[in-house]
Amino acid sequence: MRPPTQVGQASWPVLLVILMPLPWKVVPGTGRLAVGPGFHVVNNGCPESAVARFRGRRSGRGPGLTVTCGQPAPEWPTLGEDESYTLDVTEAGARLDAPSATGALRGIETLLQLIDSTPAVPALHIEDRPRFPWRGLMMDVSRHWMPVEVIERNLDAMAAVKLNVLHWHLSDDQGFRVESKLYPQLQQLGSDGNFYTQDQVREVVAYARDRGIRVVPEFDIPGHTTSWFVGMPDLAAAPGPYQIERDWGVFPAVMNAAGDSTYGFLDAFFGEMAALFPDPYFHIGGDEVEDPLARALQPQFILRVQALLRQHGKTLVGWDDVLTPGLAADAVIQAWRGPGTAQGYRTVVSYGYYLDYLRPAAQHYAVDPGQATGTLGGEACMWAEFVSAQTVDSRIWPRMAAIAERFWSPAEVTDVSSMYQRLEPVSRWLEGTGIQHRANYLPMLESLAGGQPPGQSIAPLRVLGDASEATGIDVRSVARYYTSLTPLDRFVDAARPESEPVRRLEQAVTRLVSGDPSELRDIRSRLREWAANDARFDGSPAELIPLSQNLKSVGEIGLDALQYWEAAQAPPSGWMAAQNQALDAFEQPVAQVVLAAVRPVRLLVNAVASR
């Protein structure tokens, strides 16, 4: 299949439907498929569990779907399997054909998006397949614990945007998170009681399998291993005692690479874990070993670990720190420190996809996994220093959907405006998968407001929240002292990485200064709301008082600029410089959030001056 010649551009039929990731080929048809009662599914050889989930989410809607699979589902998803499908929608119904069960899973998710985006789906023909075979999300459950239900609802959202690898970061200095029956002291003393039983691991792996998602475990060694040594200090290169780390950073504790007993332990441990995780790829971390002696022994350690994994039928995956002379050619390198670090090995790219920095979706979207030979695909990383089970969904989604498009869609799909045009409705659609990236916002604000019910009591906080964006690990790690025991329940934890209301206002201001006055009333209303909000804010939490006052000033600057614009009047000399200087100050983090409201007001100020 060839990509369409104008995929992602205005002439491509993206305006007819809301889809993410964009398919490789879409051909508009004639007519529409009415979505109504009497829905039925004819299943020709596809996994009944997938069809049942489709029925459960769309029962009673539409005239019907016929889905046909050329091959039955494999026992477990595999790297490089055929995920292509063809979807035809006509007035009479929908037909999905796929050479494999996994392709049918991908096509079902496309049809679900189509049905949700409009009450009458335009007739069309879709041919689709992934650009890369490895499209992943790494979830760190060591630094902050994530129960099974959190993992499973994120698996549902991953399937919805055609991701196919859950990289499960299961151990680090702050916790060892899987039950070992051979070495129970690992989880008993290294987890604070928060770990997955082996039955729970099997449940998650099976849950992922039914959605066409591979689970690649990561047990980080030889560094980031403090939690291992709480129960097994003899594994460490230096004598104990050890305790679970509560701080963040890189710690000196490292596994003893010189002792034969270490490799005997790892051999048994890998054998036990290999039985839990059927995927042939096994991640050993291998990053950030800073002790000079340990670094000198790192090459020997990595090569011996690779040999042990091979004995258990596993292929080594590691961060690019594991590159060492003699590393077998079948190793997979996860590139996190920049492009070109994998030195000819098969590569999974994570550089540019670190979700914990809370960068805007557009910044991640601009990163291409690369065209180099050996690039398997990419993974976004959700490190958990500053996320909890309550907030992790909002730190992953909806930005992960934009990244998923970079992994699936043709390289030519780079239009940021198109991406954002689709991202907001896709974000709402993702709620139907069970993800709570939007649902936890108001409850967190209510808690900050003293637990009062939604409505007038939290309205000022919501105005402030909608105008703000949370900062990520780079700002939070130096702004104040945090540990793994610090509650993540402040305003910064409720605020979104990107403000949808502010982005909509930016778009409205852009249209206004381009000559479309239809947005004028809504722009003025929002600016007045910002200017008046401080008078309604009761000063709690107290850390938000300066932020609230800044929002008032930003609203007032915007109203002044709007007045000059409407009157076609030039501002006084020096006005623009003074306003931009003030906006620069208001854009600095306060209470570890950034006032996103500055952006549309700056657009308006600069437009007035240039006019």
Side-chain angles (χ1 to χ4, degrees), residues 493-513:
D493 301 299
R496 310 291 86 175
E498 284 194 89
S499 167
E500 291 178 357
V502 167
R503 187 167 64 243
R504 288 196 295 270
L505 189 64
E506 286 182 276
Q507 294 167 344
V509 170
T510 299
R511 288 190 289 270
L512 173 68
V513 301

Side-chain angles (χ1 to χ4, degrees), residues 352-381:
Y353 302 124
Y354 268 45
L355 294 168
D356 53 320
Y357 281 82
L358 302 196
R359 301 291 190 250
Q363 186 166 328
H364 297 303
Y365 198 70
V367 179
D368 191 285
Q371 306 276 3
T373 301
T375 301
L376 295 175
E379 277 187 6
C381 297

Side-chain angles (χ1 to χ4, degrees), residues 24-44:
W24 278 66
K25 181 177 182 181
V26 176
V27 179
T30 302
R32 289 179 175 267
L33 171 62
V35 179
F39 185 83
H40 64 278
V41 179
V42 177
N43 181 11
N44 296 326

Side-chain angles (χ1 to χ4, degrees), residues 89-110:
V89 177
T90 68
E91 293 177 334
R95 180 177 181 86
L96 172 63
D97 294 286
S100 73
T102 305
L105 292 175
R106 310 301 179 228
I108 283 174
E109 294 295 345
T110 297

